[in-house]
Each structure stands twice: as C-alpha cells, then as structure tokens.
C-alpha cells in the first residue's frame, strides 16, 4: 500500500539547481552563438517561404501604383511637350518681328491663347479625303473652323463637331487651303492640299516671286482662321517653266500627318491684350506732354510779339 503523502525534491534543491543552470548558461552563452547562427541558416528558407504571400501582395500593389503614376506622368509630360512645342514654333517668327515691334511699343500685343490636348480616335479610311477624328467636341468648346496643330506644325482645321467628338480636315486634303507667308521675305500665298499626305502646293504664284527651296512657310493670319506665325510647311521644289503662266512650287508639311496621335486645339480668339505697367505708361505720357509743350512754346511766343 502506497503512502498518501510522498515527499519529493525539496525546494532548496530546486533553487540551487536553477541557480547552477543559470550560471552555466551565462558562461556558455557566447559558445552557443555558432549554434544559433546554424539554426537560423537552416530556418531562413522557411521564413522566406512564409513571407512570400505578403511580399507578392506588396509587390503587386506597388507595381499597379507605379504603372498608374507613370501613365499620369506620361500624359502630363506629353501635354507639356505639346504646349512647349507650340510656343517654340513661334520663336522664329517672333525673332523676325522683334525689330518691327520695337516701334510699336505702345500698341496692344496678344498673349498666348487657350489650348487643349486632344487624342486622335480615328483616321479616315476614304482615300479621297484626309481627316482625323478627335476625342473632344461641343462639351469642351470645340467649334467649326478651329485651328489644330501638333508638336511640329499645323495639322488642319475642324470641319465637323458633335457632342463628344470632332472631325479635322488636314492641310494635305485637296479641298483645304491655308494662307501662308514666307518667313525670309514676307511673300504671301495660298497653300493647297494635293491629296498626297507628304505634299502641298502653292498655286498662282508668279514666276518672278522670290521663293526658293528651303523657305519656311508659316500662317499669315489672313482670313482670321489660323493665328499668325505657326509653321505649315517647307518648300521642297520650285519649277519655273517658260511654257507655264505660273511657277510650280511644292512644299512638305511639317506636321507628322501620317502618324499623329495627339494634337493641340487652339482658341485664338480667347486672348488677353498686353498692357504696359502703370509706371511705364506714366513715363510715356509725361514724355509726350513735355514734347507737346516744347513744340507749342515757340508758336505762343511769336503770337505774343
């Protein structure tokens, strides 16, 4: 028969054993570091494997966010590129007109007009008509006759507008004509489409007209349809045959008509006139008053005599 109460290990012995083991672990702690490193090396693949789902989720979220961010950045950079290209197109014209505008300091000068980037949705399948369809219409203020340019030059003008889309007739179409000016000598002419997407022609130009290969043609501003100074084409051939009444002049459009994807819609009427600062206006007025007073003073003296 077993006794009811069995006496076990005493508490003092357990305390002593715990102290001895603790001291032993403290002493051997540094020697156990290699063993810990080995165990960590063995268990590392398992840790990576367990972390794969979280890493994949984080990577997917970052990838989608980066893609969306890049798309937004690309659209913004493209918009800025078109806007800056449109401004650069006018630098040559502004440089040539600089000396002439110096004498007209007090006259109103128009600032940049409103612009909007549009995307080409469709290209005409008709071989006899050359037009493109844009993704902007009446809702964004597009109107018939509105000028359209790309990063290099004039594309054409809007001929049809619906609520959400618009149709642009390109400068190379046989029914399209645009008033142009030669930047070298200000000779004016009308550039008509030939049906060839890489060529337009200047019709009814006299043989004695000073136009040579390489001349840059820009919009002249006549007709109040296209703003003045936008590049249109560059002259590639000039023929003056004695058997013809006029010279045959061909030019190549500067706009990439065969591969345009984004264009710039322009509202030339929505411009703000430039006004001189108040102090400059006051200075000009004072100078004019002094000049008027000086001019009238001798006449007054003669009357008094």
């Amino acid at each position: 028969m077993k006794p009811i109460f069995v006496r076990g290990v005493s508490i003092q012995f357990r305390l002593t054993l715990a102290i001895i083991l603790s001291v032993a672990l403290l002493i051997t702690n540094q020697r156990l570091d290699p063993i810990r490193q080995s165990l960590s090396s063995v268990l590392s693949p398992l840790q990576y494997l367990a972390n794969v789902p979280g890493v994949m989720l984080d990577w997917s979220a970052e990838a989608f966010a980066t893609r969306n961010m890049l798309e937004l950045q690309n659209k913004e950079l493209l918009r800025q590129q078109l806007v800056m290209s449109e401004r650069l197109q006018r630098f040559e014209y502004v440089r040539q007109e600089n000396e002439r505008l110096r004498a007209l300091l007090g006259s109103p000068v128009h600032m940049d007009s409103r612009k909007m980037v549009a995307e080409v949705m469709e290209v005409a399948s008709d071989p006899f008509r050359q037009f493109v369809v844009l993704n902007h219409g009446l809702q964004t203020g597009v109107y018939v006759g509105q000028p359209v340019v790309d990063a290099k030059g004039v594309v054409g003008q809007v001929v049809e507008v619906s609520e959400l889309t618009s149709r642009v007739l390109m400068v190379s179409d046989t029914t399209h004509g645009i008033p142009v000016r030669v930047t070298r000598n200000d000779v004016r002419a009308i550039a008509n489409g030939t049906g060839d997407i890489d060529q337009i022609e200047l019709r009814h130009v006299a043989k004695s007209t000073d136009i040579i290969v390489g001349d840059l043609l820009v919009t002249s501003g006549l007709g109040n349809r296209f703003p003045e100074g936008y590049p249109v084409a560059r002259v590639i051939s000039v023929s003056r045959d004695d058997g013809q009444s006029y010279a045959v002049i061909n030019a190549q459009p500067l706009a990439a008509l065969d591969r345009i994807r984004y264009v710039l819609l322009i509202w030339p009427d929505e411009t703000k006139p430039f006004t001189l600062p108040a102090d400059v206006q006051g200075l000009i007025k004072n100078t004019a008053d002094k000049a008027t007073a000086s001019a009238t003073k001798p006449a007054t003296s003669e009357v008094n005599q």
Side-chain angles (χ1 to χ4, degrees):
M1 183 176 179
K2 291 184 178 181
I4 298 176
F5 300 100
V6 179
R7 187 177 180 179
V9 180
S10 63
I11 296 177
Q12 291 82 0
F13 180 80
R14 293 178 182 178
L15 178 60
T16 304
L17 182 61
I19 294 174
I20 294 173
L21 291 176
S22 299
V23 174
L25 289 175
L26 291 173
I27 295 174
T28 59
N29 183 40
Q30 296 181 352
R31 298 181 180 180
L32 294 176
D33 287 339
I35 299 176
R36 294 194 188 95
Q37 293 178 359
S38 300
L39 291 175
S40 299
S41 301
V42 172
L43 297 177
S44 293
L46 296 178
Q47 294 176 348
Y48 279 106
L49 184 62
N51 197 35
V52 166
V55 173
M56 292 184 63
L57 290 175
D58 294 340
W59 178 82
S60 300
E62 184 179 357
F64 283 116
T66 304
R67 181 178 179 180
N68 293 335
M69 182 180 63
L70 289 176
E71 289 179 354
L72 294 176
Q73 289 179 351
N74 287 337
K75 290 181 180 179
E76 179 63 19
L77 290 175
L78 179 61
R79 186 191 69 81
Q80 294 179 4
Q81 179 187 2
L82 286 174
V83 172
M84 296 305 297
S85 297
E86 182 269 338
R87 293 178 181 176
L88 288 173
Q89 290 174 25
R90 307 192 68 181
F91 279 176
E92 180 65 19
Y93 167 74
V94 171
R95 185 188 65 82
Q96 294 180 0
E97 292 291 316
N98 187 35
E99 294 182 358
R100 303 174 191 177
L101 293 176
R102 290 180 185 274
L104 302 175
L105 183 60
S107 63
V109 180
H110 292 286
M111 303 297 287
D112 286 341
S113 56
R114 174 191 169 196
K115 308 173 188 67
M116 178 184 294
V117 177
E119 184 176 0
V120 175
M121 299 175 56
E122 180 184 350
V123 179
S125 58
D126 187 354
F128 301 102
R129 299 299 302 274
Q130 296 182 1
F131 62 85
V132 293
V133 178
L134 305 181
N135 63 340
H136 286 285
L138 292 174
Q139 288 188 354
T140 52
V142 180
Y143 61 92
V144 174
Q146 184 171 6
V148 180
V149 302
D150 71 352
K152 295 183 179 180
V154 176
V155 173
Q157 59 180 302
V158 177
V159 293
E160 294 181 14
V161 182
S162 64
E163 195 67 23
L164 299 176
T165 62
S166 57
R167 178 175 294 188
V168 176
L169 187 69
M170 294 193 291
V171 294
S172 58
D173 190 272
T174 55
T175 62
H176 192 281
I178 179 173
V180 296
R181 178 179 65 84
V182 180
T183 58
R184 181 173 54 86
N185 52 16
D186 287 342
V187 171
R188 302 180 186 274
I190 302 295
N192 297 94
T194 61
D196 186 355
I197 202 168
D198 291 330
Q199 184 172 307
I200 61 176
E201 62 180 359
L202 304 183
R203 299 176 183 174
H204 309 297
V205 178
K207 296 180 182 179
S208 59
T209 304
D210 183 15
I211 298 180
I212 60 177
V213 175
D215 279 344
L216 177 64
L217 306 178
V218 300
T219 52
S220 64
L222 298 179
N224 297 325
R225 180 62 58 89
F226 291 89
E228 185 178 4
Y230 285 94
V232 178
R234 191 172 294 277
V235 177
I236 56 176
S237 67
V238 179
S239 176
R240 296 180 173 88
D241 191 353
D242 294 336
Q244 296 179 350
S245 302
Y246 300 98
V248 179
I249 301 175
N250 295 319
Q252 184 177 10
L254 296 178
L257 301 180
D258 58 340
R259 55 184 181 275
I260 52 175
R261 183 179 178 186
Y262 295 96
V263 296
L264 205 62
L265 293 165
I266 300 177
W267 282 260
D269 295 334
E270 298 185 15
T271 56
K272 297 180 180 180
F274 172 77
T275 56
L276 294 173
D279 53 349
V280 178
Q281 292 181 359
L283 179 61
I284 294 176
K285 183 178 180 181
N286 294 335
T287 304
D289 293 341
K290 290 180 181 179
T292 303
S294 299
T296 57
K297 185 175 181 180
T300 306
S301 301
E302 292 177 1
V303 172
N304 294 332
Q305 291 177 356

